[in-house]
Amino acid sequence: MAYRYNGENLCEKKMVVDPEKASWFGLIKLLFSSDVKSRDFIECPGEDRLRDFNHRWLIFISVLAQKIFLNLRIPLDRIGNAIETWFNLLHVNGGIFNLFLRFIKGEVIMPERSSGSFRSTAANCDWRIEMDKNIKGGDTKYNSGLAFMASKLSYENEECIKSVVTDHWKMECLDCYNFQNEYLKKKSTQAFILQDTKTDPNLIVVAFRGTNPFDADDICTDVDISWYQFNGVGKLHRGFTNALGLQKHGWPNQVDSETTHLYAYYEIRRMLKQILQKNQNAKFIVTGHSLGGALAILFVGVLIIHKEDLLLDKIEGVYTFGQPRVGDREFGSFMEKKMKEYDIRYLRYVYCNDIVPRLPYDDSTLLYKHFGPCLYYNSLYQDFSRRTKQELL
């Protein structure tokens, strides 16, 4: 069934795989039959029902990976919680030696997951929370530096985000969100909004949280190869659009007023309009790491689809870090043309051999393509963007 938008057929076609419907026997049969549409876990256009082995192999790998991670959902979650608890236990007790002494004395401090001092797995890999003092307001790198720190902070809990933004950055945290994913039927999309009251009070930052390495749903979203084809826009990644707030009937301008859920695109758009009503000089940057980077650029894409000129004119830039591919070449051309019209700066940062920017797999069959400038850094954080072919990323 096609999706509808303003009475027009917006989603013309789709290719969707459902790992929960796929049996192991059916998955194996996929490799030996060119008729992919005959498999009950694949929905695709009739004219695309016959696929060569390379395409079937990519579908096989995607579904297999998703099935494995979905079956490991509970163990992954427990492992993630254990790792986070251990590192935070060390931190609040002053290291492993002091933890040992406190254990002997019976004075061990247990970390609280909802507290402002609790850190995520991502933060335990890099404890930096202060802004780079070498980058000042007005510098060309200031916005990208602020975006980087905001995308990093987005992995933390609400109290931690508010504490860092207020106490360390001397800015204002406007709100933190936990948004509904209509496809997953749960709140799985996180973001926060801050106002740079310290350096530029007119600057607003929207930061989307990225992939949790111990969240099976996040990982499955990254490795999914499903797409929706939107009329006049191109093919968009199914998992990322669902996480952003795609409705069952497409991208209506407004969601059902009777719904009790908040969806990322609609609520953040509402919040930004509210900010503009109070401050007509406000401007925005949108950012995110990994999955969050995909949501950041797609958020702008849906604003363009809805012709939200007021907000689009106020976007200062989009900065993504380790962002996966989000659409095909047609969508890339659509976005490059529109962002040039609205004078929106878009920079996509890629670090060394990070696998996420290389997902979903790019070949002549799947047609997923990156677009816009790529800033590539090697393992020594040297900028190789001018010496690296963008097509490789």
Side-chain angles (χ1 to χ4, degrees):
M1 183 176 69
Y3 294 104
R4 300 274 172 181
Y5 167 68
N6 282 352
E8 298 180 1
N9 201 356
L10 180 61
C11 181
E12 297 178 311
K13 303 175 183 178
K14 59 182 174 179
M15 197 286 287
V16 176
V17 298
D18 188 344
E20 295 185 349
K21 289 183 178 180
S23 66
W24 294 108
F25 179 68
L27 195 55
I28 296 298
K29 284 181 64 177
L30 173 67
L31 296 177
F32 298 95
S33 173
S34 62
D35 188 358
V36 299
K37 195 173 176 62
S38 65
R39 305 276 76 83
D40 59 359
F41 58 90
I42 301 175
E43 183 178 358
C44 66
E47 63 269 25
D48 293 339
R49 66 182 302 154
L50 298 179
R51 287 295 185 176
D52 60 24
F53 180 79
N54 288 337
H55 193 187
R56 301 199 310 274
W57 174 251
L58 292 174
I59 295 176
F60 173 84
I61 293 298
S62 175
V63 176
L64 177 63
Q66 291 181 71
K67 285 184 70 68
I68 291 173
F69 283 113
L70 289 175
N71 286 328
L72 294 175
R73 178 186 277 123
I74 295 177
L76 273 175
D77 183 61
R78 290 177 177 174
I79 291 172
N81 286 337
I83 291 175
E84 284 186 344
T85 300
W86 170 248
F87 279 112
N88 281 277
L89 188 67
L90 291 177
H91 179 67
V92 298
N93 286 280
I96 191 167
F97 180 72
N98 286 332
L99 175 61
F100 178 72
L101 294 180
R102 286 180 177 275
F103 177 76
I104 294 176
K105 297 177 181 179
E107 299 176 351
V108 174
I109 302 173
M110 295 302 297
E112 297 182 15
R113 300 190 68 85
S114 60
S115 71
S117 60
F118 194 90
R119 295 294 185 267
S120 68
T121 304
N124 280 301
C125 295
D126 182 355
W127 275 84
R128 292 176 298 174
I129 59 174
E130 301 295 346
M131 301 292 294
D132 189 342
K133 296 181 179 179
N134 294 320
I135 302 177
K136 307 296 183 180
D139 291 353
T140 56
K141 294 183 178 181
Y142 179 79
N143 283 1
S144 58
L146 178 57
F148 169 74
M149 293 302 294
S151 64
K152 179 177 180 294
L153 184 62
S154 65
Y155 286 91
E156 309 309 313
N157 65 54
E158 183 175 343
E159 289 303 315
C160 178
I161 291 174
K162 291 179 178 179
S163 174
V164 172
V165 171
T166 304
D167 301 332
H168 293 268
W169 298 356
K170 308 302 180 184
M171 301 177 186
E172 182 180 356
C173 182
L174 300 181
D175 216 334
C176 297
Y177 300 96
N178 196 14
F179 296 111
Q180 179 79 1
N181 184 316
E182 190 67 19
Y183 173 74
L184 297 177
K185 301 299 181 184
K186 68 176 187 178
K187 295 179 179 179
S188 62
T189 303
Q190 293 78 33
F192 77 94
I193 302 178
L194 69 82
Q195 181 179 2
D196 184 7
T197 50
K198 178 181 179 181
T199 304
D200 185 355
N202 292 322
L203 182 61
I204 308 297
V205 180
V206 178
F208 290 92
R209 181 181 298 183
T211 306
N212 181 338
F214 297 101
D215 188 311
D217 290 323
D218 280 1
I219 298 173
C220 287
T221 296
D222 286 340
V223 300
D224 190 7
I225 62 172
S226 303
W227 49 259
Y228 299 129
Q229 182 173 346
F230 292 89
N231 185 25
V233 176
K235 296 177 181 177
L236 299 183
H237 189 279
R238 187 267 300 264
F240 301 147
T241 53
N242 286 335
L244 189 61
L246 182 73
Q247 303 297 292
K248 291 181 178 179
H249 47 292
W251 286 115
N253 276 320
Q254 302 293 333
V255 292
D256 188 345
S257 59
E258 296 181 358
T259 183
T260 58
H261 299 301
L262 295 180
Y263 300 98
Y265 168 74
Y266 295 100
E267 182 61 18
I268 292 176
R269 185 187 65 174
R270 184 196 67 79
M271 184 67 173
L272 294 178
K273 287 183 177 180
Q274 188 179 79
I275 292 172
L276 273 178
Q277 288 178 350
K278 298 178 180 179
N279 179 11
Q280 295 183 356
N281 295 320
K283 52 191 176 182
F284 316 104
I285 61 176
V286 190
T287 188
H289 170 258
S290 187
L291 168 62
L295 298 180
I297 189 60
L298 282 176
F299 174 78
V300 177
V302 182
L303 287 178
I304 292 173
I305 291 174
H306 286 162
K307 299 179 180 179
E308 294 284 355
D309 293 352
L310 177 64
L311 293 180
L312 291 167
D313 287 335
K314 295 294 185 177
I315 295 179
E316 188 83 355
V318 184
Y319 304 90
T320 68
F321 305 88
Q323 173 209 313
R325 300 181 177 99
V326 298
D328 66 354
R329 192 181 299 278
E330 181 184 359
F331 177 67
S333 299
F334 170 81
M335 289 296 290
E336 288 180 336
K337 176 183 177 181
K338 294 298 182 179
M339 288 194 293
K340 184 177 181 180
E341 289 180 8
Y342 289 104
D343 193 24
I344 298 174
R345 188 185 193 198
Y346 172 43
L347 294 178
R348 180 172 54 86
Y349 292 82
V350 176
Y351 170 69
C352 197
N353 295 318
D354 184 358
I355 187 62
V356 177
R358 293 160 174 84
L359 297 174
Y361 186 67
D362 172 24
D363 73 345
S364 59
T365 304
L366 292 182
L367 305 177
Y368 281 103
K369 298 290 182 182
H370 276 307
F371 60 91
C374 171
L375 278 70
Y376 177 82
Y377 291 81
N378 67 5
S379 59
L380 300 177
Y381 293 97
Q382 296 172 321
D383 183 359
F384 271 61
S385 54
R386 294 185 179 180
R387 284 167 281 179
T388 303
K389 290 185 178 180
Q390 184 175 330
E391 289 77 11
L392 296 177
L393 295 170

